[in-house]
C-alpha cells in the first residue's frame, strides 16, 4: 500500500534526480572531473551519482572539510569478497580494472529532496577542489 502511494511520485522524483545530475555534470566538466557515462539511447534515473578519480580519498576529504558528504557504496569488489573469493574463474589479468575502480569511485549526494541551494553548495565545493 505504501509503495502504491509512492509510485505516483516516482516520475517527478526521477526528473528531479536528472535535473540535479545535469547540474553536477556541468560542474564536473567545469572543474575537470569526468561525469558518469551514459549509454546512448538509455535513460538514467541516478539512484546514485558516481564519480571516479584516482585521487578519490583526497577529493572526499576536501569535500568533507566543506561539509559535503560523499559515499563509497561498493568498496569491495565481488571477486574479493569472502563468499566469492576463489570461486570465481578469473583470466590471467584477474579483475585488475575492477579492483582499481573500487579504489577510485565515490558518490555525491543524490536524492530528489535536495534543494537547489544544497545542490549549489555541492557544486561550489567541487569548484573549490
Amino acid at each position: 500500500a505504501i509503495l502504491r502511494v509512492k509510485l505516483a511520485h516516482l516520475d517527478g522524483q526521477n526528473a528531479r534526480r536528472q535535473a540535479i545530475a545535469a547540474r553536477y555534470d556541468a560542474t564536473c566538466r567545469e572543474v575537470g572531473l569526468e561525469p558518469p557515462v551514459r549509454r546512448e539511447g538509455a535513460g538514467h534515473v541516478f539512484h546514485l551519482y558516481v564519480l571516479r578519480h584516482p585521487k578519490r580519498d583526497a577529493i572526499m576529504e576536501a569535500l568533507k572539510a566543506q561539509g559535503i558528504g560523499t559515499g563509497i557504496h561498493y568498496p569491495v569488489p565481488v571477486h574479493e569478497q569472502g563468499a566469492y573469493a576463489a570461486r570465481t574463474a578469473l583470466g590471467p589479468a584477474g579483475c585488475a580494472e575492477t579492483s582499481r575502480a573500487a579504489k577510485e569511485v565515490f558518490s555525491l549526494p543524490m536524492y530528489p529532496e535536495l534543494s537547489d541551494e544544497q545542490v549549489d553548495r555541492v557544486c561550489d565545493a567541487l569548484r573549490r577542489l
Side-chain angles (χ1 to χ4, degrees), residues 6-7 16 19 24 37-38 42 49 54 58 60 62 68 78 84-85 89 96 105-106 111 116-117 122 127 129:
K6 290 180 72 85
L7 192 58
R16 176 63 182 159
Y24 285 170
V37 176
R38 271 77 145 195
Y49 189 89
M60 290 177 68
I68 305 299
V78 171
Y84 294 96
V105 295
F106 66 103
Y111 50 95
D116 287 340
E117 293 78 21
V122 173
R127 288 183 189 102
L129 291 176

Side-chain angles (χ1 to χ4, degrees), residues 55-92:
K55 295 182 180 176
R56 170 193 70 191
D57 294 340
I59 291 171
M60 290 177 68
E61 277 301 315
L63 291 172
K64 181 180 178 182
Q66 297 181 66
I68 305 299
T70 56
I72 302 172
H73 291 84
Y74 305 103
V76 180
V78 171
H79 73 281
E80 293 177 11
Q81 294 180 17
Y84 294 96
R87 295 183 70 192
T88 306
L90 303 176

Side-chain angles (χ1 to χ4, degrees), residues 24-35 49 51 108 126:
Y24 285 170
D25 287 349
T27 303
C28 285
R29 287 187 190 97
E30 183 182 320
V31 301
L33 292 171
E34 185 68 33
Y49 189 89
L51 296 173
L108 295 179
L126 288 169

Side-chain angles (χ1 to χ4, degrees), residues 3 11 27 35 52 54 81 93 95 122 124:
L3 291 178
D11 289 340
T27 303
R52 181 175 175 180
Q81 294 180 17
C95 289
V122 173
D124 290 343

